[in-house]
Structure formats: structure tokens, C-alpha cells
Amino acid sequence: MNKHFLNKRLAHQLGFAGLVPFVLMALACWIVGADVVPSFVTAQQVFSIVILSFLGGIHWGATMVSGELSAEQTKRALGWSVVPTMIACLGTMFGAFDLAVLIAGFLGSYQVDKRLYKWYKLADWFIRLRFILTCVVVAALLITMVAANTRG
């Protein structure tokens, strides 16, 4: 089997599997009793922090294995690689706006990925997958945020 095909297939499978907690927690916020909504909101926030940090790690790893980046590109990519984690940490400091900060982090991370993925010579399917995953994550976080502010 072609390694590129295997990477693409596995990345899609794992990426879509990673959406399950986002979607389930968003739905749970509307299904469970109002008294437990804050628990699901917190769980959604924690999972978002982990995944947003992971998105920065993609750049760290890609920079480490890429032998063709200039010194300036390397500095920018490694510098960016820690920003999603910082944004994720900020997503714990704004109370009612925590999820909004995380949404901004996911949207910003996608925008940077859209610009940098070519530096690492990643296949075009990577950024298409990132777009789909980002859309679902942002929708799930919006649904959770609405539930938190109306039911929680």
C-alpha cells in the first residue's frame, strides 16, 4: 500500500474520530439536566485546550523534520508552534468568554496552517482536512457556548 495513501487515510480517520468528543459534549449540553451542563462545558473546554495545543505541535514536528526551511522560516514556525498553547491557556482566564477565546484560537490556527503547510511540503489534502475539522470544532464550541449561556 502506498505510504502517502495510508497517511492520508489514517489522518482522516483519526481526525474525524477526534471530532466525536466535541460533538458529543456539545449535544450533551442540550440533553442533560441544566445542573450538569457546567460539567460538560468544562469537559469541552479541557478537550479544546488539549487539541489546540496539539495543533501547535504540528508545526514543531514539521519544522524538526523539514530540511528545507530557511532560518527565518524555522524561527517563524517554531515561534508559532507555541502560540496555540498560549491561546489555549488564555481560554481558562476569561470566564464566560473562555470558549470564545478557544474558538478564536482554532480559527487563527487554521489561518496560520493555511499559510504554512506549503513550507513543510504537506499534501493539499492536509489543509482541506484541517478546514473540515476546524468547521466542526468551531460549530461544536459555538453550540456549547450557547448552551452554557442559556442552560448552565
Side-chain angles (χ1 to χ4, degrees):
M1 178 175 282
N2 178 324
K3 180 185 173 198
H4 177 73
F5 175 77
L6 178 63
N7 289 347
K8 177 181 177 183
R9 182 175 165 192
L10 186 56
H12 277 77
Q13 290 170 340
L14 293 172
F16 291 127
L19 293 176
V20 172
F22 283 108
V23 172
L24 290 180
M25 286 186 273
L27 293 175
C29 287
W30 291 96
I31 296 170
V32 301
D35 57 322
V36 279
V37 169
S39 296
F40 282 98
V41 172
T42 298
Q44 184 79 291
Q45 181 183 9
V46 169
F47 191 67
S48 297
I49 289 167
V50 169
I51 298 303
L52 190 54
S53 294
F54 170 80
L55 293 177
I58 291 172
H59 293 276
W60 185 274
T63 302
M64 292 295 119
V65 299
S66 178
E68 299 180 21
L69 296 180
S70 69
E72 185 61 31
Q73 287 173 317
T74 298
K75 287 179 190 176
R76 285 184 181 184
L78 288 177
W80 167 255
S81 73
V82 299
V83 172
T85 302
M86 290 184 219
I87 294 170
C89 287
L90 287 174
T92 66
M93 299 169 55
F94 291 97
F97 298 102
D98 288 351
L99 291 173
V101 170
L102 292 167
I103 289 168
F106 279 102
L107 292 172
S109 183
Y110 169 73
Q111 290 301 318
V112 171
D113 286 358
K114 195 166 69 169
R115 287 168 180 74
L116 298 187
Y117 86 101
K118 290 185 180 196
W119 286 8
Y120 312 126
K121 299 191 179 354
L122 296 175
D124 288 340
W125 62 259
F126 167 78
I127 203 63
R128 287 192 299 271
L129 175 62
R130 281 283 291 113
F131 176 76
I132 294 166
L133 298 176
T134 300
C135 287
V136 175
V137 167
V138 168
L141 291 175
L142 285 170
I143 290 166
T144 302
M145 190 167 59
V146 171
N149 289 301
T150 59
R151 298 198 70 231

